Amino acid sequence: STGGGLDTYQFSDRDAAGTMSDAGSEALVHVSMTQGDDLSWAVLKVSIVVDGGVSMTCDEAGEADATSDCTFAKDDDNYWSTSEEITISEGADDLCDGENGGCSVDVTLTKKGVGNEDDKVIRTVTAYADASN
């Protein structure tokens, strides 16, 4: 529903290809928007919880540095549109070494409030980063 200021979004997830190690900066999962209005990258907040651990806010990959817990890579336009996906990766530190076959990655997507609006969680996606894929 787009009436009353509430947008409905749907997302799908898939594993990021590649094997995992005890190094950092490895891709974990992809999240694709399957339904919803364009969402400005400027108001998107991405946070993850790996294997039930602590919540970490991810930095946009182009702005990440050695202190980033995790990153998300986006395309070069101004909006996240239907059928486009982001890739969520580890930051400098290892979050999932694949020792147990992989890791659960709970991805929370939040639309940051503008002006007097509050931040709104638009979806939490439970994904799995497969260590051997």
Side-chain angles (χ1 to χ4, degrees):
S1 161
T2 55
L6 177 65
D7 297 321
T8 301
Y9 293 94
Q10 295 292 327
F11 299 89
S12 65
D13 63 272
R14 65 185 179 94
D15 177 50
T19 57
M20 293 182 177
S21 69
D22 60 1
S25 302
E26 296 171 332
L28 298 171
V29 295
H30 303 286
V31 176
S32 176
M33 181 189 293
T34 58
Q35 175 184 317
D37 292 334
D38 290 352
L39 180 64
S40 171
W41 295 118
V43 298
L44 177 67
K45 176 182 167 187
V46 177
S47 56
I48 64 170
V49 174
V50 177
D51 282 343
V54 299
S55 179
M56 297 169 269
T57 300
C58 301
D59 295 327
E60 196 277 314
E63 299 169 6
D65 60 27
T67 65
S68 298
D69 291 323
C70 55
T71 64
F72 69 96
K74 61 179 185 63
D75 64 16
D76 291 332
D77 64 18
N78 293 324
Y79 296 95
W80 190 1
S81 303
T82 302
S83 80
E84 293 179 343
E85 70 181 7
I86 60 174
T87 301
I88 298 170
S89 301
E90 300 170 326
D93 295 327
D94 176 47
L95 301 177
C96 181
D97 62 13
E99 186 174 303
N100 297 322
C103 298
S104 67
V105 182
D106 296 327
V107 181
T108 301
L109 304 169
T110 304
K111 184 177 181 181
K112 297 180 203 170
V114 178
N116 293 331
E117 293 178 349
D118 292 330
D119 290 359
K120 292 184 178 109
V121 172
I122 53 177
R123 184 70 60 196
T124 298
V125 178
T126 300
Y128 188 76
D130 188 333
S132 59
N133 182 10

